[in-house]
């Protein structure tokens, strides 16, 4: 995977000019044209060719090193032409032409360094995305009898990586989901998130009681964190239309039912994973068409001019239409618009819909038995 990313990154500069290179080339050529026009209007003595050193420097800010060297070569050629047009080439003019050539070499080196740094940043960003996708597997569109969608909204445009986590799996005990938020950011947070998800994907199949799942996850977190690290989490189980929720210091899920939005607060507060939480389950009976939103605290903390995003007030209008994927897309759009594209924290979202009791599926009769069955 890493070799493929590197190959793609280095091949990207060999094709057509990028928008940055085209902009840098156009600006540099325009500058050379202006300086040349002024020089021609001034007469046969070269007074302004020293200004041409700005052309390769300007191109270096945007264009590739190849474009920079091309611009520098053109600038040096134009400067040399004006120098030769003088009745007697002065030492100052010769130094100015040499300065253009030297500035070209320096600008080309700067552009090369900038390109390598840009390639490294692009590579790291792609690797961060791959790491995030390895930790957070795509959800849905169907998990067991539930329609499920997940979404991760990064607070930064440079890297989609953080400590928010979610998962939904179909187990012998029903569909089980988890959403959590690791304290902190960066690679340490991703490492702990991967530990929690790895443990959850194992114990969710083994433990009949969600409280036992919480105990196992708490041990996994405690073995791998410092004294001040923790993971907030909410675990959800749907079995036969019965919804069970245990909450470890996490924002309460929102139940969307017939136009109403109901926060499913726990019967009693419990600390996050890592602090030996003792949880009390909350049990709800689902109705066909019910939707449940799980989210991390980045959603509750999103604000504009000190005003928090009105999640509960707008949840039904945003999440109650179309598929669950459509609902999360609408919520993300409204949220990003609310904060003007500036989020303070990453956000993980999971939306599920309960369609109702699953009807019994009748196995089709094989074609070669149709006649026998009719007889």
């Amino acid at each position: 995977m890493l070799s493929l990313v590197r190959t793609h990154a280095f091949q990207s500069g060999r094709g057509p000019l990028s928008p940055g290179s085209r902009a840098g080339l156009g600006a540099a050529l325009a500058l050379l044209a202006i300086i040349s026009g002024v020089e021609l209007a001034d007469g046969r003595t070269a007074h302004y060719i020293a200004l041409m050193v700005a052309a390769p420097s300007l191109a270096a800010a945007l264009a590739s090193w190849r474009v920079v060297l091309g611009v520098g070569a053109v600038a040096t050629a134009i400067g040399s032409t004006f120098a030769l047009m003088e009745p007697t080439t002065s030492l100052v003019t010769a130094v100015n032409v040499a300065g253009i050539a030297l500035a070209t070499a320096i600008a080309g080196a700067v552009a090369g360094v900038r390109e390598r740094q840009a390639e490294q940043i692009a590579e790291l960003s792609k690797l961060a995305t791959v790491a995030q996708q390895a930790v957070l597997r795509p959800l849905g569109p169907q998990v067991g009898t539930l329609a499920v969608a997940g979404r991760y909204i990064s607070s930064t445009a440079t890297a989609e990586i953080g400590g928010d986590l979610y998962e939904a799996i179909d187990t012998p005990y029903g569909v089980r989901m988890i959403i959590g938020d690791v304290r902190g950011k960066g690679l340490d947070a991703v490492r702990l998130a991967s530990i929690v998800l790895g443990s959850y994907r194992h114990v969710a199949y083994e433990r009949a009681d969600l409280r036992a799942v919480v105990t196992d996850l708490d041990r996994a977190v405690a073995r791998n964190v410092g004294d001040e690290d923790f993971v907030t989490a909410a675990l959800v189980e749907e079995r036969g239309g019965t919804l069970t929720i245990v909450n470890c210091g996490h924002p309460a899920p929102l139940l969307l039912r017939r136009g109403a939005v109901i926060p499913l607060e726990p019967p009693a507060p419990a600390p996050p994973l890592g602090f030996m939480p003792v949880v009390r389950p909350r049990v709800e009976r689902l109705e066909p068409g019910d939707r449940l939103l799980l989210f991390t605290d980045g959603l509750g903390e999103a604000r504009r001019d000190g005003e928090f995003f009105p999640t509960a007030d707008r949840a039904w209008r945003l999440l109650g239409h179309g598929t669950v994927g459509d609902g999360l897309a609408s919520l993300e759009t409204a949220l990003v618009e609310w904060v003007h594209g500036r989020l303070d924290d990453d956000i993980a979202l999971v939306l599920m819909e309960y369609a109702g009791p699953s009807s019994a599926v009748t196995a089709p009769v094989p074609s070669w038995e149709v006649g026998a069955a009719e007889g």
Side-chain angles (χ1 to χ4, degrees), residues 23-198:
L25 177 60
L29 293 179
L31 179 61
L32 289 177
I34 292 172
I35 297 173
S36 299
V38 173
E39 193 68 76
L40 287 172
D42 186 60
R44 299 183 64 185
T45 303
H47 289 150
Y48 305 104
I49 62 172
L51 297 176
M52 292 184 180
V53 299
S57 302
L58 178 61
L62 299 171
S64 67
W65 64 268
R66 295 179 180 86
V67 172
V68 172
L69 293 183
V71 169
V74 172
T76 303
I78 295 174
S80 300
T81 301
F82 281 117
L84 294 174
M85 289 172 58
E86 288 187 327
T88 302
T89 302
S90 64
L91 178 61
V92 173
T93 301
V95 170
N96 287 339
V97 173
I100 297 173
L102 179 60
T104 298
I106 295 174
V110 170
V113 172
R114 179 184 54 76
E115 277 191 287
R116 285 193 295 272
Q117 291 176 341
E119 288 168 354
Q120 291 173 353
I121 292 173
E123 181 178 325
L124 290 175
S125 179
K126 290 177 181 178
L127 290 176
T129 301
V130 171
Q132 190 72 62
Q133 292 173 349
V135 174
L136 298 180
R137 300 183 299 196
L139 297 185
Q142 196 78 19
V143 180
T145 59
L146 301 178
V148 180
R151 209 170 189 91
Y152 190 94
I153 307 173
S154 177
S155 60
T156 60
T158 54
E160 299 178 359
I161 194 164
D164 292 14
L165 58 98
Y166 56 73
E167 181 61 288
I169 50 181
D170 190 12
T171 75
Y173 311 105
V175 176
R176 286 180 165 178
M177 293 174 283
I178 184 175
I179 191 162
D181 190 357
V182 177
R183 178 184 179 272
K185 295 183 179 181
L187 293 179
D188 288 339
V190 174
R191 180 185 63 84
L192 184 53
S194 66
I195 291 172
V196 173
L197 285 175

Side-chain angles (χ1 to χ4, degrees), residues 178 196 213-215 217-219 221-222 225 229-233 235 248-249 271-277:
I178 184 175
V196 173
V213 175
V214 169
T215 300
L217 294 181
D218 178 68
R219 291 172 181 166
V221 171
V225 300
D229 295 326
F230 57 84
V231 181
T232 67
L235 285 76
C248 305
L273 299 173
F275 292 117
M276 295 183 292

